[in-house]
């Protein structure tokens, strides 16, 4: 039987995917693409965390209380757990819309 934390991650994933579908199907096009992809990425992150937690019983960086980010979840799922392949990694990372640090910041004139 899956751990309670695993079930919580799966529940969060289902909720995020449901919201992504609702956003995609809404009548107003404002922000549809961005919001849909953002919620789909969150759903996949929660599913990967569920798989990682079920295998390792932790989804945190060593010596920290900060949980794995999306990129780390993808990396662990591919290299340590073997549940995704290189093609899956490419597709999943394409969902990650977080810009690099400092991207888009205005520089003082």
């Amino acid at each position: 039987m899956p751990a309670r934390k695993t079930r919580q991650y799966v529940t969060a994933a289902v909720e995020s995917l449901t919201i992504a579908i609702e956003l995609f199907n809404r009548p107003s096009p404002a922000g549809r693409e961005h919001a849909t992809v953002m919620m789909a990425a969150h759903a996949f992150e929660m599913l990967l965390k569920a798989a990682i937690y079920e295998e390792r019983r932790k989804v945190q960086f060593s010596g920290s209380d900060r949980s794995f980010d999306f990129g780390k979840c993808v990396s662990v799922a591919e290299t340590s757990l073997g549940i995704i392949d290189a093609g899956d990694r490419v597709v999943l990372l394409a969902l990650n819309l977080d810009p690099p640090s400092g991207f888009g910041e205005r520089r003082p004139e």
Side-chain angles (χ1 to χ4, degrees), residues 6-7 12 33-34 36-37 41 45 50 52 54 56-57 62 76 78 80 87-89 98-99 101-103:
T6 301
R7 290 192 306 272
E33 294 88 3
H34 181 77
T36 300
V37 172
E45 179 180 350
I52 293 166
E54 194 63 23
R56 295 180 161 192
R57 293 295 188 239
S62 295
V76 169
E78 180 186 16
S80 297
D88 297 329
R89 176 179 40 82
D98 293 333
S101 179
F103 181 78

Side-chain angles (χ1 to χ4, degrees), residues 30-87:
R32 176 183 293 157
E33 294 88 3
H34 181 77
T36 300
V37 172
M38 185 173 70
M39 294 309 297
H42 185 260
F44 281 112
E45 179 180 350
M46 293 298 104
L47 284 176
L48 292 174
K49 283 184 177 181
I52 293 166
Y53 187 83
E54 194 63 23
E55 186 70 27
R56 295 180 161 192
R57 293 295 188 239
K58 71 174 199 151
V59 288
Q60 288 144 345
F61 292 101
S62 295
S64 173
D65 59 350
R66 198 173 68 103
S67 71
F68 292 162
D69 57 22
F70 186 68
K72 180 67 173 178
C73 288
V74 171
S75 176
V76 169
E78 180 186 16
T79 59
S80 297
L81 303 182
I83 58 174
I84 65 171
D85 61 24

Side-chain angles (χ1 to χ4, degrees), residues 85-97:
D85 61 24
D88 297 329
R89 176 179 40 82
V90 170
V91 171
L92 288 171
L93 292 178
L95 292 174
N96 191 5
L97 298 178

Side-chain angles (χ1 to χ4, degrees), residues 8-9 14 16 20 22 26 31 62 64-65 74 81 105-106:
Q8 289 173 339
Y9 283 128
V14 170
S16 290
E22 290 174 356
R26 73 183 186 167
S62 295
S64 173
D65 59 350
V74 171
L81 303 182
E105 292 179 6
R106 298 192 80 168

